[in-house]
Amino acid sequence: MDMRKNIIDSLLGKSVHVEIDRPLGHIHKGMVYPINYGYIPGVLAGDGEEQDAYILGADEPLSSFDGWVVGAVCRKNDVEGKLVVAPKGITFHQ
């Protein structure tokens, strides 16, 4: 079983703390971040770095966030899935 799936399976539905290193509106290499983006301290991903996470449901720049893992984004050519973290109790619709 690959590391990416193991990490996602172990954290899906769990409460996590995220340190934000690219807050909403941050410009990095010419790209403006439309959401808060950060990492989960102490959880190493397949790339050897701490596990990345996207924050949904927060409409202001943050420095840290506590929420629930509600999903993951897995890109074909990436050893690390990006976790999707949201406030407890928020519901998303298609």
Side-chain angles (χ1 to χ4, degrees):
M1 196 173 278
D2 79 0
M3 185 176 188
R4 178 170 62 178
K5 183 172 177 0
N6 287 340
I7 291 169
I8 293 167
D9 288 348
S10 71
L11 292 175
L12 194 60
K14 302 279 176 42
S15 175
V16 294
H17 175 79
V18 180
E19 287 296 323
I20 308 298
D21 54 3
R22 296 184 187 148
L24 175 76
H26 176 80
I27 299 172
H28 179 74
K29 296 182 181 180
M31 183 181 112
V32 178
Y33 276 73
I35 60 174
N36 290 287
Y37 177 80
Y39 61 91
I40 300 172
V43 177
L44 293 182
D47 63 359
E49 299 291 329
E50 290 174 306
Q51 177 63 54
D52 292 336
Y54 299 123
I55 307 300
L56 296 183
D59 59 359
E60 62 188 50
L62 303 171
S63 60
S64 65
F65 182 80
D66 294 306
W68 297 85
V69 178
V70 297
V73 175
C74 297
R75 299 180 299 196
K76 186 176 183 179
N77 296 321
D78 194 347
V79 296
E80 175 190 17
K82 311 296 188 208
L83 296 179
V84 179
V85 181
K88 185 175 183 176
I90 195 168
T91 302
F92 296 100
H93 300 282
Q94 291 185 10

